[in-house]
């Protein structure tokens, strides 16, 4: 098993890479959700190679701000899993039946992790989404 800080680093890197790879698709979704009237961009227009630069607006910010979100998500998930595992292991009557309710332990640990992660993820998404749609030019403009 990984140490706590190793889990944080792995989570930070994996979350940042995943969100950066998916950034163009997320930008497209955000632009389409925030467009109104005759200015609504067509999906086919956004998929053209000439539009790729526009779809990368905010990718650097997304990459950078995803680090704390990923670190928190993965570390809390693993911490809660370990604590719940130790709790079950200390109680023989639970340990014998863990196969029948193991999914509940996964659900609880994932839920606690996701809720905790939302504290960091929500401001990150607000900043990144506003850069995507052009409300801010970049991260320094967003935090002024």
């Amino acid at each position: 098993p990984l140490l706590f800080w190793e889990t944080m680093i792995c989570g930070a890197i994996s979350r940042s890479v995943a969100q950066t790879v998916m950034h163009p698709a997320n930008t497209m979704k955000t632009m389409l959700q925030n467009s109104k009237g005759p200015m609504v961009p067509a999906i086919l227009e956004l998929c053209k190679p000439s539009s790729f630069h526009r779809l990368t607006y905010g990718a650097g910010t997304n990459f950078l701000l995803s680090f704390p979100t990923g670190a928190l998500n993965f570390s809390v998930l693993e911490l809660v899993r370990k604590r719940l595992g130790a709790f079950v292991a200390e109680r023989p009557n639970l340990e014998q039946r863990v196969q029948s309710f193991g999914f509940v332990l996964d659900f609880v640990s994932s839920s606690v992790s996701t809720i905790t992660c939302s504290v960091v993820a929500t401001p990150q998404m607000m900043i990144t989404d506003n850069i995507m749609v052009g409300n801010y030019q970049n991260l320094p403009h967003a935090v002024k």
Side-chain angles (χ1 to χ4, degrees), residues 4-16 64-79 113 116-117 120:
F4 185 76
W5 67 270
E6 292 172 323
T7 302
M8 289 184 78
I9 290 172
C10 290
I13 292 169
S14 67
R15 174 79 173 232
S16 290
L64 184 65
L65 296 182
S66 295
F67 271 90
T69 307
L72 188 62
N73 191 334
F74 277 66
S75 59
V76 169
L77 177 67
E78 290 303 317
L79 179 69
S113 175
T116 305
C117 177
V120 177

Side-chain angles (χ1 to χ4, degrees), residues 101-121:
F101 67 87
F103 70 94
V104 174
L105 300 177
D106 286 336
F107 175 79
V108 169
S109 59
S110 294
S111 297
V112 170
S113 175
T114 301
I115 291 167
T116 305
C117 177
S118 294
V119 172
V120 177

Side-chain angles (χ1 to χ4, degrees), residues 21 24-25 27 45-57:
V21 167
T27 301
E45 189 68 31
L46 291 172
C47 291
K48 289 181 179 178
S50 60
S51 297
F52 185 73
H53 182 263
R54 177 65 186 97
L55 296 178
T56 61
Y57 286 9

Side-chain angles (χ1 to χ4, degrees), residues 20-138:
T20 303
V21 167
M22 291 305 300
H23 187 80
N26 192 23
T27 301
M28 187 182 304
K29 173 201 63 115
T30 304
M31 289 173 67
L32 291 170
Q33 286 176 336
N34 286 291
S35 299
K36 296 178 185 170
M39 298 303 292
V40 176
I43 292 175
L44 292 176
E45 189 68 31
L46 291 172
C47 291
K48 289 181 179 178
S50 60
S51 297
F52 185 73
H53 182 263
R54 177 65 186 97
L55 296 178
T56 61
Y57 286 9
T61 299
N62 200 9
F63 181 78
L64 184 65
L65 296 182
S66 295
F67 271 90
T69 307
L72 188 62
N73 191 334
F74 277 66
S75 59
V76 169
L77 177 67
E78 290 303 317
L79 179 69
V80 173
R81 279 184 180 163
K82 284 180 185 175
R83 295 277 168 94
L84 288 175
F87 178 82
V88 169
E90 293 171 359
R91 289 156 182 79
N93 59 332
L94 290 178
E95 191 173 32
Q96 294 169 357
R97 295 181 288 166
V98 75
Q99 294 297 336
S100 62
F101 67 87
F103 70 94
V104 174
L105 300 177
D106 286 336
F107 175 79
V108 169
S109 59
S110 294
S111 297
V112 170
S113 175
T114 301
I115 291 167
T116 305
C117 177
S118 294
V119 172
V120 177
T122 301
Q124 174 219 341
M125 289 184 290
M126 293 296 297
I127 291 170
T128 305
D129 286 356
N130 276 290
I131 293 172
M132 287 177 195
V133 296
N135 292 336
Y136 301 122
Q137 185 179 3
N138 52 33

